């Protein structure tokens, strides 16, 4: 054996996708471990025909590409002879020997998933930059408009008459735009706040106290069942408060004619470690099956004055804390949002 052929198995193994070398009659001459993993093969396959593994028409297509002198690229759905379904991108090329072919393939779903993640990350990054720009460029003029309108409103009030109803409308809408800007800037703020050991119970009590009046005004009865011995959670208390506030707000908005709103928090076991489960339940309008698929998407809202950022932000914060969020709902009955937070909190992002 010369040096090149000695090197070959190592090079072959190092190819970062499933790789296969076919010889005459399409018999398998070499396969790297990515190939074995992708095809879930653990037995000896050397010298066996490739047609034992892939259907004939796939093999035929590959051969057409190779004989046409092209490096083929073929997206295929393969039903393997062992019953496994795969979606792969096949790349085939003539190899160093006259009748040898190297086949390279990647599992499509994983590649697509990565592409999608990449696109999402890019979009979020762009959105963050845009948000910073918007909050400055729109926030400042809005502030000036608000104070000018307040001045005008005072003046109109002193003059008497009912013109103030127009200035009130303008001021309310300025407030709405401010709220939206606040949500957008919360979302895009670099997350550098201190992580501390925190008693979730105190955050929940504060929030319930905070929304008490609003609930009363909407005919919503609050019920709280918070266990005494909740574990202390390593978290960013400010961000967690944002989570609970958003959930309470959604619940109140889902009960325009009043109803019941309950918060329960208890200690649970998560993979052998302490965690806190917080469940926020309302007897509101509920979420349709169709909407359920999109509730976490930014800007998805079914409300005429909503911005659709609440649950998107909530989910991001829960993920920052290495937690899980689930929503169950029935139209006309109500909604429960469950948040599971591991006590040891956030992943060390530098780890
Ligand atoms: N507790 C709830 N009850 C009913 N629908 C809800 C509830 N929470 C969220 N939703 C639905 O999810 C959508 C997205 O919520 P969110 O992201 O907070 O945005 P927004 O409240 O601005 O609409 C809402 O418009 C509503 O349709
Ligand atoms: Mg909301």
């Amino acid at each position: 054996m010369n040096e090149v052929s000695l090197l070959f198995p190592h090079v072959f193994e190092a190819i970062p996708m499933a790789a296969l070398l076919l010889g005459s009659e399409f018999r398998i001459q070499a396969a790297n471990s990515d190939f074995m993993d992708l095809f879930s093969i653990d037995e000896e396959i050397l010298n066996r025909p490739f047609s034992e593994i892939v259907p004939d028409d796939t093999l035929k297509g590959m051969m057409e590409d190779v004989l046409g002198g092209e490096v083929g690229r073929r997206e295929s759905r393969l039903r393997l002879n062992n019953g496994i379904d795969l979606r792969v991108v096949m790349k085939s090329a003539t190899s160093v020997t006259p009748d040898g072919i190297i086949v390279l393939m990647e599992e499509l779903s994983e590649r697509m998933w990565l592409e999608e993640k990449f696109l999402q990350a890019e979009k979020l990054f762009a959105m963050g930059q845009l948000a910073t720009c918007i909050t400055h460029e729109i926030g400042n003029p809005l502030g000036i408009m608000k104070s000018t309108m307040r001045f005008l409103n005072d003046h109109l009030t002193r003059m008497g008459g009912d013109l103030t109803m127009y200035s009130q409308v303008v001021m309310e809408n300025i407030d709405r735009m401010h709220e939206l800007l606040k949500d957008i800037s919360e979302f895009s703020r670099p997350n550098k706040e201190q992580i501390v050991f925190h008693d979730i119970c105190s955050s929940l009590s504060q929030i319930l106290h905070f929304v008490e009046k609003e609930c009363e005004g909407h005919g919503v009865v609050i019920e709280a069942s918070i266990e005494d011995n909740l574990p202390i959670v390593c978290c960013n208390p400010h961000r967690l408060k944002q989570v609970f506030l958003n959930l309470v707000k959604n619940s109140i908005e889902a009960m325009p004619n009043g109803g019941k709103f309950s918060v329960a928090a208890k200690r649970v076991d998560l993979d052998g470690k302490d965690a806190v489960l917080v469940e926020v339940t309302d007897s509101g309008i509920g979420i349709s099956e169709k909407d359920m698929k999109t509730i976490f998407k930014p800007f998805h809202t079914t409300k005429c004055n909503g911005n659709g950022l609440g649950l998107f932000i909530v989910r991001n914060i829960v993920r920052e804390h290495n937690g899980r969020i689930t929503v169950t709902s029935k139209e006309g009955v109500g909604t429960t949002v469950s948040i599971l937070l591991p006590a040891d909190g956030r992943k060390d992002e530098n780890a």
Side-chain angles (χ1 to χ4, degrees):
M1 269 206 222
N2 61 28
E3 275 174 39
V4 175
S5 50
L6 274 174
L7 202 60
F8 178 77
H10 301 289
V11 175
F12 207 63
E13 188 58 36
I15 295 173
M17 62 181 89
L20 182 73
L21 173 64
L22 297 176
S24 61
E25 294 168 352
F26 311 124
R27 285 183 184 274
I28 297 168
Q29 300 302 300
N32 69 359
S33 41
D34 279 7
F35 175 85
M36 305 293 275
D37 288 345
L38 181 61
F39 282 71
S40 306
I41 296 170
D42 49 15
E43 78 247 44
E44 191 49 70
I45 52 166
L46 288 189
N47 266 325
R48 283 166 52 186
F50 192 38
S51 59
E52 275 185 19
I53 299 172
V54 297
D56 278 343
D57 52 345
T58 305
L59 199 53
K60 206 169 134 243
M62 282 165 52
M63 290 315 105
E64 276 165 9
D65 288 341
V66 172
L67 295 175
E70 284 179 37
V71 174
R73 186 186 183 286
R74 188 170 283 272
E75 288 188 11
S76 307
R77 188 183 287 271
L78 305 181
R79 158 137 302 187
L80 306 186
N81 297 340
N82 58 9
I84 292 176
D85 277 322
L86 281 180
R87 284 195 68 186
V88 294
V89 179
M90 286 224 183
K91 301 162 180 183
S92 43
T94 42
S95 84
V96 277
T97 59
D99 56 356
I101 301 161
I102 286 182
V103 182
L104 301 175
M105 50 193 120
E106 265 179 294
E107 192 171 10
L108 192 61
S109 52
E110 187 176 349
R111 190 177 62 94
M112 277 164 76
W113 185 81
L114 282 173
E115 272 175 11
E116 200 178 306
K117 288 276 159 220
F118 179 69
L119 275 178
Q120 258 178 19
E122 261 194 335
K123 268 193 215 156
L124 288 182
F125 179 70
M127 205 169 126
Q129 287 195 321
L130 187 66
T132 313
C133 182
I134 286 175
T135 33
H136 278 105
E137 299 304 314
I138 299 185
N140 292 342
L142 270 185
I144 297 171
M145 281 160 79
K146 181 74 193 274
S147 50
T148 312
M149 272 322 281
R150 217 182 269 136
F151 171 77
L152 199 60
N153 190 59
D154 290 349
H155 195 65
L156 291 174
T157 311
R158 276 199 301 275
M159 275 170 58
D162 52 11
L163 282 177
T164 50
M165 64 189 253
Y166 298 110
S167 51
Q168 297 284 357
V169 171
V170 177
M171 287 202 294
E172 270 167 34
N173 279 284
I174 292 176
D175 286 344
R176 247 183 82 187
M177 286 162 89
H178 262 306
E179 278 295 308
L180 174 65
L181 287 185
K182 214 170 79 196
D183 278 353
I184 294 180
S185 71
E186 268 302 342
F187 156 73
S188 57
R189 193 161 48 144
N191 191 27
K192 288 186 182 133
E193 293 111 333
Q194 276 280 284
I195 301 298
V196 292
F197 289 101
H198 177 70
D199 178 12
I200 296 261
C201 179
S202 72
S203 296
L204 289 174
S205 311
Q206 265 179 29
I207 282 161
L208 287 177
H209 183 66
F210 183 67
V211 296
E212 217 170 48
K213 279 268 167 312
E214 200 177 345
C215 282
E216 235 176 72
H218 285 82
V220 172
V221 180
I222 303 180
E223 241 176 41
S225 142
I226 297 167
E227 264 182 12
D228 286 338
N229 68 337
L230 289 183
I232 298 295
V233 173
C234 181
C235 66
N236 179 330
H238 169 75
R239 303 279 277 171
L240 278 192
K241 259 194 220 162
Q242 243 183 296
V243 166
F244 299 129
L245 263 179
N246 267 301
L247 299 183
V248 178
K249 214 169 138 220
N250 278 346
S251 284
I252 296 176
E253 286 164 358
M255 298 183 284
N257 304 316
K260 201 171 89 182
F261 168 69
S262 59
V263 177
K266 60 180 176 187
R267 178 191 288 261
V268 290
D269 180 278
L270 177 66
D271 306 327
K273 288 186 181 170
D274 267 343
V276 180
L277 177 67
V278 182
E279 287 176 320
V280 174
T281 303
D282 64 61
S283 62
I285 52 173
I287 304 169
S288 70
E289 252 176 63
K290 184 178 143 272
D291 283 334
M292 200 62 140
K293 295 190 185 104
T294 41
I295 50 171
F296 289 112
K297 288 223 163 106
F299 306 114
H300 162 83
T301 182
T302 53
K303 303 168 191 170
C304 54
N305 58 354
N307 62 34
L309 285 176
L311 286 182
F312 174 65
I313 293 172
V314 164
R315 189 176 60 175
N316 277 328
I317 298 175
V318 171
R319 284 182 175 170
E320 273 168 23
H321 287 82
N322 213 7
R324 294 178 200 162
I325 177 166
T326 45
V327 180
T328 51
S329 187
K330 198 161 180 204
E331 270 184 290
V333 177
T335 304
T336 297
V337 182
S338 311
I339 289 180
L340 186 63
L341 293 169
D344 57 7
R346 233 162 73 138
K347 272 189 246 179
D348 180 0
E349 272 148 20
N350 301 317

